[in-house]
Amino acid sequence: APPPEPAPGGGIVGRLFKGAEAEPRRALDDAMLEDLEDMLVQADMGVETALRITANIAEGRMGRRVSSTELKELLAEEIARIMGSVARPLPLYPKKPQVVLVVGVNGSGKTTTIGKLASQFRAAGKNVVIAAGDTFRAAAVEQLQVWGQRAGVPVMVAAQGSDPASLAFDAMVKAEADGADLLMIDTAGRLQNRQDLMEELAKIVRVIRKKDPEAPHNTLLVLDATTGQNALSQVETFRKLADVSGLVMTKLDGTARGGVLVALADRFGLPIHAIGVGEQIDDLDAFDARDFARALVG
Ligand code: GDP
């Protein structure tokens, strides 16, 4: 799938250069840096990260006249440097089953992402089991069953409203009995009652640790790129609720430019395991820092 669309109006850098010349230049002065910073903030990178990037670009270059091509390269380099260290596929362990807990607010794309991941792991020859741990939302359970069918992966479900931790335990037993490589556990995403959610997640972890003291091996937080800066507060919230080990950013196929990913990487440094680029089963890509940076600067 293609990297995210550049922002309308010629991308972040394009809009800073207006002029009749074929390759207009602008001096890297305070006014230019301020414009650049505004563009970065508008692209969802957040003030802190925008300031840091702008300062890095300015360093040793004040007063120099740069073309838009040069500035694009400088900016893409800065962004790729921040993002390079977080672009990492989901690590696979020899442990069977590897337990992946999937958290995030409702609507972020948890169900879809679990389906896409299951399909990718199946294609790689892995034996996968899914547990529909959001037992309160009947629609979520049904959706997960549909995704399980598409991916050719069994989905463990429990009666509506039953204890997600006991389902998780049963899923551990099944995954072990099946010799599954991977168990993915969906969870509830109701942030309305954080205390409840925290206890629910903690109980799931406690119970699966009875079967494997090292589980879960990964806790994936799924974030929706279209929520912009909200993604930052979601990371903060979920890190208090669970031991988040990595991120998946969804909906990067739409108009969302994904600048918030730069802010996330800069602030938290959590690995970005994959990006969602559509609603279909194959619409999950590895995150590539260079491609992403190029698409973003436009
Ligand atoms: P959940 O409530 O977190 O489980 O979210 P869902 O997986 O049900 O996704 C919510 C909506 O977002 C659904 O309509 C999905 O089709 C859609 N969605 C999920 N991931 C992506 C993505 O990468 N791109 C697009 N365009 N839509 C997505």
Side-chain angles (χ1 to χ4, degrees), residues 108-121:
S108 62
K110 282 193 302 293
T111 310
T112 309
T113 301
I114 290 172
K116 292 171 177 176
L117 282 172
S119 165
Q120 286 191 356
F121 286 118

Side-chain angles (χ1 to χ4, degrees), residues 235-247:
V235 175
E236 264 159 12
T237 301
F238 273 94
R239 289 225 298 188
K240 290 181 197 138
L241 302 181
D243 191 9
V244 175
S245 62
L247 308 175

Side-chain angles (χ1 to χ4, degrees), residues 105-112 116 137 251 253 276-279:
V105 299
N106 292 338
S108 62
K110 282 193 302 293
T111 310
T112 309
K116 292 171 177 176
R137 275 199 313 161
K251 309 187 196 179
D253 50 307
V277 292
E279 297 186 83

Side-chain angles (χ1 to χ4, degrees), residues 4-13 15 39 42-43 255-257 295-298:
E5 291 283 319
I12 294 170
V13 173
R15 275 173 288 166
M39 291 291 172
Q42 277 175 38
T255 47
R257 299 179 297 261
L296 199 58
V297 300

